[in-house]
Amino acid sequence: MKNNFLYEGKAKKILETEDPTVVKMVFKDDATAFDGKKKGVIGDKGEVNATISARIFQFLKHNGIENHFLEKTGPGEILARKLEIIPVEVVIRNFAAGSISRRLGLKEGLPFKPPVLEFFYKDDRLGDPMINEAHIQTMGWAKENEVARMKEIAYRVNDLLIDLFREVGIQLVDFKLEFGRAGEEILLGDEISPDTCRFWDLETGEKLDKDRFRQDLGGVEAAYQEILKRIGEPEK
Ligand code: TMP
Ligand code: ASP
């Protein structure tokens, strides 16, 4: 195995493999929030998030959503198809929380029907500013048909994940997706985990995601473990 670094982000390292179309993603225990202004470590997060992501990407694939995930190869490690990253984050919100609550003065938990879809430009230096479709096209970050495809996939992922999590007693509040190009295809990439979603317990309303870290609520590790316990391990 070659192990040349391609990229190191806040939560993952991306390494080359023998196959130029495949990368190894190593999930880190490091946690950041508020554009990197808050830093910390969440015990076993790398392994737990790699496992949760693998489980969710497998589930999505079984339900017709192609994505970059290939296989989980070791603790905190997955193999994924190499994508040409589109520098846009797609957020879907089913309930108000986080930045939309601050931006629009909305009470946390206000339901959104239909769900709200937002785009953010992936740039830490600028603090991931919110953008719209015109920005994406004019700046050349993605073409009109690519944006349409990302939106279509994001809404389908929302429908599927709402059901997956509801069955195990969890409300899917919001989540962030990233996409990339593999040849002509637009593929879902990155990770889907308690770092990139908000999950509330359906019965108690307890937060089971990175808000426990952002808001210093304690019990961060236990919350991540609870999500894994509820949705279960990926198939081998
Ligand atoms: P926000 O309320 O901070 O805008 O976040 C919305 C959702 O997107 C939340 O589940 C966290 C996730 N998210 C990321 O995963 N990475 C990011 O850089 C941002 C801004 C949000
Ligand atoms: N991960 C993002 C950041 O570091 C946002 C967050 O999770 O609060 O800015």
Side-chain angles (χ1 to χ4, degrees):
M1 269 293 212
K2 281 204 292 189
N3 266 328
N4 293 330
F5 269 115
L6 287 176
Y7 175 78
E8 176 155 7
K10 287 179 291 188
K12 290 184 293 296
K13 296 176 196 172
I14 313 295
L15 295 89
E16 273 180 331
T17 67
E18 298 291 341
D19 182 339
T21 69
V22 173
V23 293
K24 186 200 274 188
M25 304 181 87
V26 181
F27 288 63
K28 306 197 287 188
D29 291 349
D30 300 347
T32 64
F34 310 115
D35 303 314
K37 285 194 270 294
K38 183 180 173 86
K39 288 194 174 72
V41 168
I42 299 176
D44 293 330
K45 176 167 86 74
E47 166 58 4
V48 173
N49 277 359
T51 310
I52 292 171
S53 287
R55 167 76 173 98
I56 293 176
F57 281 129
Q58 268 186 357
F59 163 81
L60 291 175
K61 184 162 189 184
H62 288 158
N63 285 279
I65 309 279
E66 290 297 328
N67 59 72
H68 73 153
F69 176 75
L70 295 170
E71 61 175 309
K72 186 157 183 292
T73 43
E77 282 186 17
I78 68 166
L79 293 180
R81 284 183 66 183
K82 187 174 181 179
L83 302 182
E84 183 199 330
I85 282 299
I86 295 171
V88 171
E89 301 186 337
V90 182
V91 168
I92 295 231
R93 303 180 188 271
N94 297 304
F95 296 88
S99 70
I100 198 170
S101 290
R102 293 192 292 275
R103 194 183 328 122
L104 301 181
L106 304 177
K107 190 170 154 47
E108 188 177 80
L110 178 79
F112 293 134
K113 272 194 179 159
V116 170
L117 183 146
E118 295 172 342
F119 297 108
F120 295 87
Y121 176 46
K122 225 176 126 56
D123 186 322
D124 274 338
R125 215 170 27 92
L126 299 176
D128 293 352
M130 190 160 80
I131 52 173
N132 65 30
E133 292 182 45
H135 297 111
I136 297 174
Q137 280 161 51
T138 298
M139 297 305 293
W141 294 322
K143 298 201 196 81
E144 189 176 1
N145 65 316
E146 293 177 325
V147 175
R149 185 83 182 120
M150 291 193 284
K151 285 168 66 175
E152 182 193 336
I153 296 171
Y155 283 121
R156 280 168 60 199
V157 167
N158 189 40
D159 290 340
L160 289 165
L161 293 189
I162 285 175
D163 287 348
L164 175 73
F165 282 97
R166 192 197 285 119
E167 277 170 26
V168 295
I170 291 166
Q171 196 146 53
L172 178 66
V173 174
D174 60 29
F175 60 92
K176 183 263 305 179
L177 301 178
E178 295 184 28
F179 295 87
R181 302 180 187 91
E184 290 301 293
E185 222 182 342
I186 294 285
L187 277 190
L188 180 59
D190 196 55
E191 68 178 277
I192 302 178
S193 73
D195 272 11
T196 66
C197 305
R198 285 192 173 92
F199 299 121
W200 294 347
D201 185 278
L202 260 172
E203 301 264 304
T204 65
E206 190 188 0
K207 294 177 177 174
L208 297 171
D209 56 61
K210 201 165 111 179
D211 270 350
R212 301 205 72 84
F213 169 77
R214 295 189 190 95
Q215 301 171 5
D216 296 316
L217 298 176
V220 188
E221 283 86 358
Y224 281 56
Q225 297 281 357
E226 180 65 21
I227 293 296
L228 176 55
K229 192 175 122 199
R230 296 230 199 150
I231 64 169
E233 299 272 335
E235 287 159 25
K236 287 282 181 293

